[in-house]
Amino acid sequence: MCKNLRCMLNAEQQLQFISLQLCIDDKEFDIPQVDTPPTLESILNEPEEEDEPFILEDTCLLNTENIDAHSCETSSLASSDSGDLETNATVHGSVLRRNLLKGISAQIVSAATVSNVIAVGTSHGLALVFDQNQALRLCLGTTATGAEYGAVSALSINHDCTRLLCGFAKGQITMWDLANGKLLRTITDAHPPGTAILHVKFTDHPALAVCNDSGGSVFELSFRRVMGMRTCESRCLFSGSKGEVCCVEPLHAGPELKDHPITHYSLLAMASLTKILLIGLKPSLKVWMTFPYGKTDPASVPLLAWQFVAVQKTINPVLAFCRGDTIHFLLVKKDESGTIHVIKQRQLQLNCDLISLSWINPRTLVLMDSTEKLRVVDRPSQEELETVDMAELQLVYNSSHFKSLATGGNVSQALALVGEKTCYQSVCSYAGQIMYLGTKSVHIMTLRNWRERVDHLLKQEKFMEALSLAWSFHEGTGKAVLGLFADPAKRKGVVADKMVEILLQYVDRSLKKCPEQGKIQVMEQHFQDMVPVTVDYCLLLQRTDLLFNQIYPRLVENSVARGVFLESLEPYILSERIGCLTAPVMRDLLSYFQENGMMDSVEGCLVHMDITNLDIQQVVQMCWDNQLYDAMIYVFNSGMNDYISPMEDDCLAFQFLKCLLNPRESLSPQTVLKLGPDLHELLVDLLCQFSPQQVIAFLKTSQDYRLEEAIQITAKHKLHEATAYLLEKKGDVQGAFEVLLQPDGEGEETGDEVPSLLQRVEEALHDIIALCQRSSHGLNQQQRETLEKHSVSPDCVSLSSALKELTMKVLNSMSSFIAPPAIIQRILQDPVYGKGKLAEIQGLILGMLETFNYEQTLLETTTNLLNSDLHWSLSHLRKAVSRGLHPRQDHCNICLQQYKRRQESEEEIIIFSCGHLYHCQCLQRKEVGVLSERQYSWSCYKCTSNQGTRPADRPSAESSRSCSTSLAQVSQAVTFHNRKNDSQPV
């Protein structure tokens, strides 16, 4: 009995009225007549019968090429919903709450605050009105009338919920008084006969309604009462001959928006098979906008839905319309002059064919596709929040009325094709809920409030998803949020309390479901998945008290959980996200690290924490026993404000000075202090004793020590390389050599020490190379290899002669890369040669001068050759471009007219070096010129055409020249002006 259940919910908040339709076509399904009306329970609970398949005939495609359309204003995407927050949250949970009803009575009881009355239209032409207890309150109409009018095909209730309009499958319309069940009007001539009523809807005006029939026409119904007689005047708003309308939607404003300036126009949206129309019924009929679909699937269902939306701090209606997979949004607003403006907003592109479109609130859309899946979409971000499969509902479609089977099926094939997937009367939305009617059941979808969505995840033990969703609510980035305060402080306070509750539940559940058997790694992994999440959210909520006073005492009961928790604190401490621990946690942390040999972790954590609540003596002793000098100094400085005690011990003094003078080398977060040179020299002394490998690095980075004192310190500790570095820095290169040549031990040099001394000379050579590189402002890789390939000759007997030989080789190699004056100046400044005779360096200087003369002669010769070649090229080019040109013909090679005969007007002539002649206008028409920076460069049309390419098609004339062609042969052209009395070249 329930194959074509129809529903229409169109009530206002004053009475909170819901109307449902049960519209069964007896002839289509061969249903016998009954004498007594069925009860609501029997209607909804009868078993479903198999539908016989309906075979479509060939349909004619609609031509959408020539459609009249008014222009729509457009706005940028930023103009839509200013202030919308972007979010990175990907967890939305269950957005919709779904109630499956086996009978209408169950829904009435569960939603008594929303709906007080339900009206059901039947295939026998009856309208049954039930109260919330499912008791039959009114039975409007008779079976005799139903036999004459057919099934109820549409229902509508006016704005104050006192009148009910019923449309019938055979075209009649009746109006009923809902207070007493009295029939007020029977309308039989509102539209052409032989068509079914597809839609009948009240507007916000109390005496104005519209109806849409299966012929695709739309009519305005005006109700009047003259001298006690109730009348109805009908006016055609749209003729189906222009493209059948199959969906109409008047703009309804709630009580809070009844004074909105746009409500005075009684706006009506109509969706035909080819376009969307927006008209105003008041104060006079006017078309405000038409919008064509373009090319769409002819079987797609046109959909319309109104919603008042806050856009740019102003509340205005937005019309959402769709046919196929794209939803368009039109913002409607009125200016001061009274003109309605329709502004196109950003569209929503989907990958499915839609059959139902509903707003559930100003930011959220609920869509149903052709596979009967609900899709919840956030309009500002265009993000799909949830998908619900509604296939088990067995949604009822409006096929029989769109085919107008009750009147003989006299409808177009296009409308019948669309009717296969229409479900207008089976889906209705009101006050944040959407009702879907199936053949056996009713489903009502409402938005879950934020707390329900979180609890829904908790029931499935999805704690991390629940925390992520709650955090999005806390930060204001959640989608489709219901039930939260608009004030950020209140919102965060409420959500934070809920998150604390979730965290405690998460910890208790993890402890309860901890694996009791198996490897220890399995238990550790179990808590490693939970503990970081808990710590992160406690820190995000700034609730370390929750972490240490409530969560940690729970975890202590499990030794594995305790260890994982303590180890997980280290990265948070090192990154300074946690700076203070409670005394029990700090004590357990240090003990755990010490027991497991994690002393580096102890030192790293100590120097990043507030240690005022520690047992200082215990910590100092632990640091001393394990040589944690940085941590010990930090404890003295931060815990006891003592900067003197560390200086009494050499090891501590050494670490202390490192902390003060070079904190980057230490774990201690001390501030760099500008101290005197004596402390820097003291650190050099300590480095020589405890860490000699760091001396040179410190000497290079620090600039606050005195050179003489530092040289004495390094010499005292026999650190020759450090001493040589300081001497070189001082400028005493000879002294640096002497230090490097000193033996490591005491006593005289022996023959056995010569190889080691030669090795030191080799090292000194590298120092010389480095010194030369600095003086020459850096050498490239090849130059460095050239300098470094020279080594000590094995034939050198004397160390002094070996050093001189190496020096000569190095300086001789430098002469190819460094200016000779710079080399000579360096030699004269050297203490070795500065005191010697000129004869020792005579050979070197003469060699350098010879090289210089050769290079100078080579440079002069090369310059002369280049100048000669350039002069020859320019001379030949000048001869080529200055010689006269003689045209091959006396006519233009394009228009073939003789240029001498065209004396009636001024004419510009162009002659190319190839001898071809053209009119300038002819070349312009052929587009054979290339515009350069200063002038227009022409190319010969005939020559370039013979080559198979047009100059205009090439990037430039120069790019296609051969290498042997001269400049004059290609680009030279002479321009003439033919005038009436003067034909001389200009």
Side-chain angles (χ1 to χ4, degrees), residues 645-876:
S645 297
M647 300 300 296
E648 297 176 355
D649 184 90
D650 288 345
C651 293
L652 289 180
F654 170 55
Q655 296 294 332
F656 180 72
L657 288 175
K658 284 181 63 180
C659 295
L660 292 178
L661 303 179
N662 198 11
R664 288 177 295 180
E665 300 294 333
S666 173
L667 295 175
S668 178
Q670 299 284 345
T671 305
V672 180
L673 301 178
K674 189 66 176 179
L675 302 179
D678 51 347
L679 286 180
H680 288 267
E681 293 156 11
L682 175 58
L683 180 57
V684 173
D685 195 351
L686 294 173
L687 284 171
C688 292
Q689 298 180 47
F690 300 101
S691 185
Q693 68 276 7
Q694 298 183 7
V695 174
I696 294 181
F698 177 78
L699 293 175
K700 291 180 178 180
T701 57
S702 177
Q703 303 294 332
D704 296 323
Y705 56 84
R706 291 166 293 189
L707 280 176
E708 293 296 338
E709 283 73 5
I711 291 173
Q712 294 178 7
I713 294 172
T714 55
K716 179 181 66 174
H717 294 284
K718 297 182 179 181
L719 298 180
H720 300 320
E721 293 183 2
T723 305
Y725 170 77
L726 293 173
L727 289 172
E728 181 187 351
K729 185 176 181 180
K730 180 183 176 182
D732 187 1
V733 180
Q734 179 67 25
F737 279 127
E738 293 175 357
V739 169
L740 291 174
L741 295 176
Q742 289 181 7
D744 293 334
E746 299 293 338
E748 298 294 334
E749 299 179 5
T750 63
D752 295 337
E753 295 171 347
V754 172
S756 63
L757 293 178
L758 291 177
Q759 183 177 3
R760 290 178 179 274
V761 173
E762 186 76 23
E763 296 175 356
L765 176 61
H766 290 289
D767 293 336
I768 296 174
I769 295 173
L771 181 64
C772 294
Q773 289 174 338
R774 288 196 296 272
S775 65
S776 62
H777 304 289
L779 302 175
N780 57 34
Q781 182 66 27
Q782 181 180 2
Q783 295 167 349
R784 283 196 294 270
E785 292 176 356
T786 303
L787 292 175
E788 293 175 357
K789 72 181 180 179
H790 299 282
S791 59
V792 181
S793 172
D795 298 331
C796 294
V797 179
S798 157
L799 181 62
S800 176
S801 61
L803 179 60
K804 289 183 180 181
E805 180 183 354
L806 288 174
T807 306
M808 291 290 291
K809 288 182 178 181
V810 171
L811 295 178
N812 191 31
S813 300
M814 290 170 55
S815 62
S816 301
F817 310 106
I818 304 175
I823 299 177
I824 295 174
Q825 183 179 5
R826 187 68 180 178
I827 293 173
L828 295 178
Q829 292 177 352
D830 190 276
V832 176
Y833 296 103
K835 299 178 182 179
K837 297 180 181 180
L838 187 60
E840 297 180 1
I841 59 173
Q842 181 179 6
L844 174 63
I845 295 177
L846 291 177
M848 292 168 54
L849 293 177
E850 182 179 355
T851 302
F852 174 76
N853 291 331
Y854 169 75
E855 292 178 350
Q856 186 177 18
T857 303
L858 181 63
L859 177 63
E860 292 176 354
T861 303
T862 304
T863 303
N864 292 334
L865 289 175
L866 291 175
N867 292 339
S868 176
D869 184 63
L870 179 61
H871 179 269
W872 181 87
S873 299
L874 293 176
S875 175
H876 281 262

Side-chain angles (χ1 to χ4, degrees), residues 10 27 71 174 290 313 331 400 452 521 532 630 637 646 667 672 678 732 765 771 795 797 814 972:
N10 191 14
K27 294 182 179 180
S71 61
T174 58
T290 62
K313 300 181 180 181
L331 173 66
S400 61
E452 287 180 292
Q521 291 84 355
D630 286 333
N637 295 346
L667 295 175
V672 180
D678 51 347
D732 187 1
L765 176 61
L771 181 64
D795 298 331
V797 179
M814 290 170 55
Q972 183 178 358

Side-chain angles (χ1 to χ4, degrees), residues 195-396:
T195 55
I197 296 296
L198 300 181
H199 301 276
V200 57
K201 296 190 177 183
F202 276 109
T203 67
D204 281 350
H205 194 279
L208 196 63
V210 294
C211 70
N212 173 213
D213 62 14
S214 58
S217 299
V218 181
F219 297 87
E220 178 188 73
L221 306 178
S222 299
F223 306 113
R224 289 181 175 80
R225 188 171 182 177
V226 181
M227 299 179 65
M229 297 294 295
R230 300 180 188 273
T231 62
C232 176
E233 296 181 2
S234 174
R235 177 173 60 163
C236 182
L237 301 177
F238 187 87
S239 174
S241 61
K242 298 180 180 179
E244 295 98 322
V245 169
C246 50
C247 181
V248 295
E249 199 65 51
L251 174 62
H252 291 288
E256 69 280 1
L257 295 171
K258 63 180 181 179
D259 296 327
H260 194 284
I262 212 163
T263 59
H264 304 297
Y265 292 85
S266 293
L267 295 181
L268 174 67
M270 301 184 296
S272 74
L273 295 178
T274 57
K275 57 189 173 184
I276 296 291
L277 298 97
L278 179 63
I279 66 174
L281 304 178
K282 298 290 183 181
S284 61
L285 182 63
K286 185 171 183 178
V287 178
W288 289 109
M289 184 273 300
T290 62
F291 190 94
Y293 299 127
K295 295 183 178 179
T296 59
D297 184 355
S300 298
V301 180
L303 303 170
L304 295 172
W306 285 101
Q307 178 67 42
F308 279 88
V309 177
V311 179
Q312 297 180 343
K313 300 181 180 181
T314 304
I315 297 178
N316 282 301
V318 170
L319 175 64
F321 70 89
C322 170
R323 190 179 186 192
D325 60 356
T326 304
I327 302 177
H328 301 270
F329 298 96
L330 299 178
L331 173 66
V332 183
K333 59 191 301 186
K334 183 181 79 71
D335 62 15
E336 298 178 354
S337 65
T339 303
I340 298 293
H341 294 274
V342 181
I343 304 172
K344 185 178 179 182
Q345 305 289 287
R346 53 181 168 179
Q347 64 187 29
L348 175 60
Q349 185 69 40
L350 303 170
N351 57 357
C352 56
D353 184 32
L354 298 182
I355 62 173
S356 176
L357 167 65
S358 304
W359 296 85
I360 201 166
N361 67 22
R363 297 172 60 93
T364 312
L365 293 163
V366 179
L367 317 172
M368 179 176 283
D369 61 24
S370 56
T371 63
E372 297 187 1
K373 289 184 179 179
L374 284 187
R375 301 173 183 268
V376 185
V377 178
D378 180 69
R379 186 184 65 87
S381 65
Q382 301 194 354
E383 183 177 359
E384 189 170 309
L385 309 181
E386 185 182 12
T387 301
V388 180
D389 192 349
M390 301 288 288
E392 65 178 17
L393 171 65
Q394 298 179 0
L395 189 71
V396 176

Side-chain angles (χ1 to χ4, degrees), residues 617-630:
Q617 184 177 359
Q618 177 188 1
V619 175
V620 170
Q621 186 63 41
M622 180 182 64
C623 294
W624 181 261
D625 294 341
N626 295 276
Q627 298 181 353
L628 306 180
Y629 299 120
D630 286 333

